[in-house]
Amino acid sequence: MSRQTTSVGSSCLDLWREKNDRLVRQAKVAQNSGLTLRRQQLAQDALEGLRGLLHSLQGLPAAVPVLPLELTVTCNFIILRASLAQGFTEDQAQDIQRSLERVLETQEQRGPRLEQGLRELWDSVLRASCLLPELLSALHRLVGLQAALWLSADRLGDLALLLETLNGSQSGASKDLLLLLKTWSPPAEELDAPLTLQDAQGLKDVLLTAFAYRQGLQELITGNPDKALSSLHEVASGLCPRPVLVQVYTALGSCHRKMGNPQRALLYLVAALKEGSAWGPPLLEASRLYQQLGDTTAELESLELLVEALNVPCSSKAPQFLIEVELLLPPPDLASPLHCGTQSQTKHILASRCSPCSPELLFPLLMPPLGCDSAFVLFSPPPSPPGPCMPEVFLEAAVALIQAGRAQDALTLCEELLSRTSSLLPKMSRLWEDARKGTKELPYCPLWVSATHLLQGQAWVQLGAQKVAISEFSRCLELLFQATPEEKEQGAAFNCEQGCKSDAALQQLRAAALISRGLEWVASGQDTKALQDFLLSVQMCPGNRDTYFHLLQTLKRLDRRDEATALWWRLEAQTKGSHEDALWSLPLYLESYLSWIRPSDRDAFLEEFRTSLPKSCDL
């Protein structure tokens, strides 16, 4: 009777194994199918078949003779499911946990152990594995999947402990995950073993490449290009898929650029462009390299090519029904040199790098997508760096138009921006309250509107309408001073992609408006009114030397020599102490505007004033 039962059990085991092998072959046929729908249907059918087979196996009490097949089916099921979903889920962790519990059941270790976490279960299973040599190959495959799941979830500490236990080194002496992965030595697969979609050695190779890539990229992002080189070379020398190799070569180029090796950087970027069709990252990195070298022509050519490359749909290959390197890589980091943004963002960079800034390149960025409300687009959060939010693109385009002598076009553009923003101004008190409570982001509308009035004023100056210009500058200042208490309470002025992020930026905007209005008072012969604006600008923005210069000129014209002399000494002290104002936090439109009102004859005037001082005051 016992012999008959054994025969029946062996017959069932053979049938289950045949079904596993058939489903694995079906998945491999689907993988090689050129027809997308047929490929997907075959793979989905294979997945459901593996699910049913696993359900049948786990419906019986755990038994050592069946466990090698059961663990193999579990691994095939997890691999196919993760590859179809292009990611891991909590379900896969539960599948692994269930398999570990089944192994322990055969050792009569039920009970409290089942309440342990995955890492504790692994410790127990790996300790018991020395008594179950027939499970060794299947357990190593399961280790590979657990490692992939933990790597994708960034649970590197748990992964290191698992590999230490697997390698028989529990002293904790080695925490180098790359070394632990290299030390891991999966056993060779037996020739008569059930078919698998991916063996333990294949999983190890993928893990090595993925971890080295992640480590190298993180070192590069955190500013350690020399350390990044070692990990990235490890990736390039391993079994690296071509799409990943393009990114690796680009990252190596970025490392060498930051380390001052432009020729080597260029070689890696050329190699990246030759390796695949994902030309965005290497072209953007090439533009950075040429900018660093001062080759503006080559920089602009790279950016133009990047705009074209981003317009071409990305033709990614169909994923293999395996755990691939790409599956274990982190989502794109906005701080990464491999993040090249959108076509609109690249056009903005290209426009800003042209000298002077090209309004024609900025105009297409102002058009909302078809079917989208323009106000919604305008006030939606900016997509990702590099690139400003939409109101700043309007302002930059207006600046470019004024710089090109097209004041009337600039006024039309400013009116369009005001029509989209001014309606929100009465709601500002409620928006500030929401921001204070943390329920919404900071409202920057008053600052954008005030900057728009500032540019309108400058456009009217260009058209010779002095009274209208003064009115626009006054409106700008009114809005800025209304926003002051809330801005200080929030501790920030702008928070746009390339916008201002400090009180200094708000001060510079106020100073620009006060200086602009003061210059118009000077032009109309009203020096007393100009003096008031220049005095206020010095108080508002004490770090801006231009405010002192305009004030000094006005004091001299009004023959207030003692005050002018005292102010000159203050300017001298600023020069010696290098108290130049920091413009690093200003958006592009404001940097351009400040350059317009910066007097070109400042140094000559200061030297002339110095020589006119009494001898006792002379240096």
Side-chain angles (χ1 to χ4, degrees):
M1 184 68 179
S2 175
R3 186 178 302 168
Q4 185 180 2
T5 304
T6 302
S7 174
V8 172
S10 176
S11 175
C12 286
L13 188 60
D14 290 340
L15 288 172
W16 288 329
R17 173 177 169 152
E18 286 175 12
K19 185 172 184 180
N20 169 77
D21 293 355
R22 177 170 53 80
L23 292 169
V24 169
R25 291 190 192 97
Q26 180 176 327
K28 290 183 177 180
V29 168
Q31 187 169 282
N32 298 323
S33 174
L35 301 173
T36 305
L37 289 177
R38 173 174 166 74
R39 184 178 191 276
Q40 193 71 17
Q41 188 59 55
L42 284 171
Q44 198 63 45
D45 290 345
L47 180 67
E48 292 307 315
L50 288 169
R51 190 196 307 273
L53 178 55
L54 187 59
H55 183 73
S56 298
L57 289 166
Q58 292 184 342
L60 300 171
V64 173
V66 184
L67 269 178
L69 176 62
E70 182 181 323
L71 295 179
T72 299
V73 173
T74 300
C75 290
N76 289 333
F77 177 67
I78 292 174
I79 290 169
L80 188 53
R81 189 176 184 186
S83 62
L84 283 172
Q86 283 298 285
F88 291 96
T89 65
E90 185 59 32
D91 290 342
Q92 276 102 26
Q94 291 173 4
D95 291 334
I96 292 174
Q97 181 166 338
R98 179 62 181 145
S99 294
L100 298 179
E101 291 168 355
R102 296 273 290 173
V103 172
L104 293 180
E105 283 179 27
T106 65
Q107 303 300 298
E108 297 181 352
Q109 295 186 23
R110 296 180 67 104
R113 291 185 182 276
L114 298 184
E115 299 175 6
Q116 295 176 341
L118 262 176
R119 194 164 60 80
E120 291 77 13
L121 278 172
W122 271 113
D123 288 343
S124 301
V125 167
L126 292 176
R127 279 197 298 271
S129 65
C130 60
L131 304 173
L132 302 167
E134 58 267 64
L135 299 184
L136 204 56
S137 291
L139 281 175
H140 273 262
R141 285 194 296 274
L142 204 60
V143 165
L145 291 174
Q146 182 67 80
L149 196 151
W150 276 343
L151 179 58
S152 65
D154 223 24
R155 291 177 59 178
L156 304 185
D158 287 336
L159 177 53
L161 290 171
L162 172 62
L163 292 172
E164 282 181 5
T165 306
L166 184 68
N167 295 338
S169 169
Q170 301 185 44
S171 61
S174 175
K175 292 295 182 184
D176 185 341
L177 194 48
L178 197 59
L179 181 60
L180 287 169
L181 283 166
K182 288 180 179 180
T183 308
W184 174 27
S185 180
E189 296 284 344
E190 297 179 10
L191 293 176
D192 60 344
L195 292 183
T196 60
L197 283 169
Q198 195 168 9
D199 62 18
Q201 184 61 47
L203 288 168
K204 174 188 171 179
D205 293 339
V206 167
L207 287 162
L208 264 170
T209 301
F211 178 72
Y213 176 88
R214 290 168 68 110
Q215 190 177 57
L217 196 58
Q218 187 57 39
E219 291 288 1
L220 180 57
I221 291 171
T222 53
N224 300 307
D226 50 340
K227 291 182 180 179
L229 277 179
S230 174
S231 296
L232 292 171
H233 279 305
E234 182 83 37
V235 181
S237 62
L239 297 173
C240 188
R242 293 190 72 176
V244 177
L245 197 56
V246 172
Q247 299 180 47
V248 171
Y249 283 155
T250 304
L252 284 166
S254 182
C255 286
H256 283 293
R257 174 178 63 83
K258 292 182 178 182
M259 294 171 67
N261 303 320
Q263 294 305 320
R264 275 194 166 186
L266 195 56
L267 288 174
Y268 277 114
L269 295 177
V270 170
L273 290 168
K274 288 180 178 178
E275 276 298 329
S277 58
W279 292 337
L283 285 171
L284 180 59
E285 183 57 35
S287 74
R288 295 186 186 119
L289 175 63
Y290 288 127
Q291 183 181 356
Q292 188 171 305
L293 293 172
D295 190 341
T296 306
T297 303
E299 178 197 354
L300 295 179
E301 285 177 359
S302 299
L303 289 171
E304 287 169 358
L305 287 171
L306 177 56
V307 170
E308 293 179 18
L310 291 173
N311 196 38
V312 177
C314 185
S315 56
S316 58
K317 67 179 183 68
Q320 301 292 297
F321 296 136
L322 302 168
I323 303 301
E324 296 185 282
V325 173
E326 293 93 326
L327 203 62
L328 306 182
L329 300 183
D333 190 322
L334 300 185
S336 167
L338 303 179
H339 178 78
C340 55
T342 65
Q343 190 183 44
S344 293
Q345 291 164 348
T346 306
K347 285 180 179 178
H348 173 263
I349 297 174
L350 181 59
S352 66
R353 292 296 297 157
C354 290
S355 182
C357 184
S358 168
E360 284 72 19
L361 286 170
L362 287 170
F363 286 155
L365 307 184
L366 306 179
M367 299 300 108
L370 289 175
C372 288
D373 178 64
S374 60
F376 172 77
V377 173
L378 189 66
F379 291 102
S380 295
S384 58
C389 49
M390 187 59 73
E392 287 196 2
V393 178
F394 269 84
L395 294 169
E396 288 174 17
V399 164
L401 288 168
I402 294 171
Q403 206 160 356
R406 295 165 59 182
Q408 196 60 58
D409 290 336
L411 287 171
T412 302
L413 194 61
C414 287
E415 286 298 332
E416 174 65 21
L417 180 56
L418 287 176
S419 71
R420 302 190 192 187
T421 54
S422 297
S423 61
L424 294 179
L425 286 177
K427 306 173 186 176
M428 280 298 108
S429 58
R430 177 171 55 80
L431 291 175
W432 282 116
E433 186 61 30
D434 290 339
R436 195 176 296 112
K437 293 175 181 177
T439 56
K440 290 186 179 179
E441 294 184 3
L442 289 173
Y444 306 108
C445 181
L447 300 169
W448 292 328
V449 174
S450 62
T452 307
H453 285 289
L454 178 68
L455 294 180
Q456 280 188 313
Q458 191 62 37
W460 284 117
V461 168
Q462 196 174 91
L463 292 171
Q466 196 174 74
K467 288 184 179 180
V468 184
I470 289 175
S471 175
E472 291 293 345
F473 293 139
S474 298
R475 179 59 178 151
C476 169
L477 288 166
E478 180 186 347
L479 288 168
L480 285 173
F481 285 113
Q482 283 177 358
T484 303
E486 291 84 355
E487 284 290 353
K488 288 188 175 179
E489 188 172 334
Q490 294 302 324
F494 285 78
N495 192 14
C496 228
E497 285 305 313
Q498 292 181 342
C500 309
K501 296 183 179 179
S502 68
D503 286 337
L506 181 59
Q507 292 170 1
Q508 294 286 355
L509 191 53
R510 291 198 203 102
L514 286 165
I515 290 173
S516 298
R517 191 172 68 176
L519 289 173
E520 291 313 298
W521 292 131
V522 169
S524 62
Q526 302 184 63
D527 283 336
T528 303
K529 287 186 176 181
L531 182 65
Q532 293 174 355
D533 278 344
F534 293 145
L535 278 170
L536 191 54
S537 68
V538 168
Q539 294 171 14
M540 290 292 101
C541 194
N544 188 328
R545 285 173 55 82
D546 293 336
T547 61
Y548 287 88
F549 176 82
H550 290 296
L551 178 58
L552 180 61
Q553 279 190 319
T554 308
L555 287 170
K556 184 182 177 185
R557 276 197 306 273
L558 292 171
D559 201 25
R560 295 168 64 163
R561 190 162 186 81
D562 291 343
E563 294 169 82
T565 302
L567 185 63
W568 182 85
W569 281 110
R570 286 179 65 182
L571 272 172
E572 283 293 296
Q574 274 197 352
T575 303
K576 291 176 181 177
S578 300
H579 292 307
E580 289 290 339
D581 52 310
L583 300 181
W584 49 266
S585 62
L586 300 185
L588 185 61
Y589 74 85
L590 189 50
E591 283 187 25
S592 299
Y593 192 95
L594 289 171
S595 70
W596 297 344
I597 58 176
R598 183 171 298 126
S600 57
D601 61 339
R602 183 176 66 180
D603 293 337
F605 176 83
L606 291 174
E607 178 60 24
E608 180 186 342
F609 189 89
R610 188 187 70 81
T611 56
S612 70
L613 292 173
K615 294 295 182 181
S616 59
C617 293
D618 205 341
L619 291 173

